[in-house]
Amino acid sequence: MKDASIVKLYWERSEKAIIETDLKYGKLCRHLSDNILNNLADAEECVNDSYLAVWNAIPDARPENFSAFLCRIVKNLSFKRLEHITAQKRKPEMLVSLEELQDSISSSANPQASYDAAELAEVISGFLRKQDELSRNIFLRRYWYYDSVKCIANDFDMKEERISQILFKIRKKLRKHLEQEGYNI
């Protein structure tokens, strides 16, 4: 079923919307949440909570990109769950990918000197559109879907070292691009 049809079902308040969402995006949502939480049971619960959040959000909004809308909700709920789980504990291995990006996208401590989050997202999206397809896909797999370098290497039939090199180079390019756009890195 097409995304527009699924969104229409949500607007009609049809419970079939959740079923269709799970059929089309359930595997992706569970994969994304499990990559963050590293616990399938918690991931499943976050995905179910995400469907409820989408159900509550869509009457007020009609997302143009339903999959991105859904993934953002899954990520946000998964990170909230992770924060709850890891309170007062050591950080899990999964947060390494976020730490890798920190040097490239960290903003100035002065909030007046930095763009708001929406502008930053647009600058990063524009940067990624200019990259070759392989680099863009590897970047998104690592920093949007939080896949491990090993998983990405297996899926692209490449060595982990090569994936790490590509990620390093694209982070370096991103940092330079952000500096050119006026971000104080």
Side-chain angles (χ1 to χ4, degrees), residues 20-184:
E20 292 297 330
T21 300
D22 190 56
L23 286 173
K24 187 166 184 181
Y25 294 112
K27 185 177 177 182
L28 171 66
C29 291
R30 283 184 281 284
H31 176 77
L32 176 58
S33 186
D34 188 43
N35 277 351
I36 294 168
L37 296 168
N38 207 18
N39 181 308
L40 202 51
D42 286 337
E44 185 68 38
E45 189 173 330
C46 278
V47 170
N48 290 335
D49 291 346
S50 298
Y51 294 159
L52 177 62
V54 170
W55 178 268
N56 291 331
I58 285 195
D60 296 331
R62 189 177 289 263
E64 290 183 29
N65 187 334
F66 181 68
S67 63
F69 179 79
L70 176 62
C71 285
R72 181 177 302 259
I73 290 172
V74 170
K75 286 171 62 173
N76 288 341
L77 290 176
S78 296
F79 277 120
K80 283 181 184 177
R81 169 68 62 127
L82 181 64
E83 186 177 316
H84 174 75
I85 291 170
T86 60
Q88 305 298 322
K89 294 181 184 177
R90 291 177 43 161
K91 288 191 293 185
E93 179 69 26
M94 187 52 247
L95 294 181
V96 169
S97 67
L98 295 176
E99 291 170 358
E100 290 172 358
L101 268 181
Q102 187 173 1
D103 290 338
S104 298
I105 65 172
S106 63
S107 61
S108 169
N110 180 354
Q112 294 176 346
S114 64
Y115 292 100
D116 69 358
E119 290 173 341
L120 176 60
E122 187 56 40
V123 169
I124 293 172
S125 292
F127 166 79
L128 289 173
R129 282 191 289 274
K130 295 176 186 174
Q131 303 307 305
D132 64 87
E133 186 177 359
L134 177 66
S135 296
R136 182 175 51 248
N137 288 334
I138 289 172
F139 185 92
L140 290 173
R141 289 283 304 274
R142 182 71 173 141
Y143 302 115
W144 177 256
Y145 295 107
Y146 304 103
D147 286 333
S148 67
V149 171
K150 182 177 183 174
C151 178
I152 298 168
N154 287 338
D155 289 351
F156 283 90
D157 196 28
M158 299 171 81
K159 293 183 178 183
E160 290 180 46
E161 295 79 22
R162 180 67 183 130
I163 298 297
S164 294
Q165 289 171 349
I166 291 170
L167 288 168
F168 176 78
K169 287 178 183 178
I170 199 165
R171 285 192 313 268
K172 189 174 176 182
K173 287 180 186 178
L174 175 60
R175 181 183 177 107
K176 183 177 179 181
H177 179 76
L178 291 174
E179 287 172 348
Q180 291 172 344
E181 291 293 320
Y183 283 88
N184 295 324

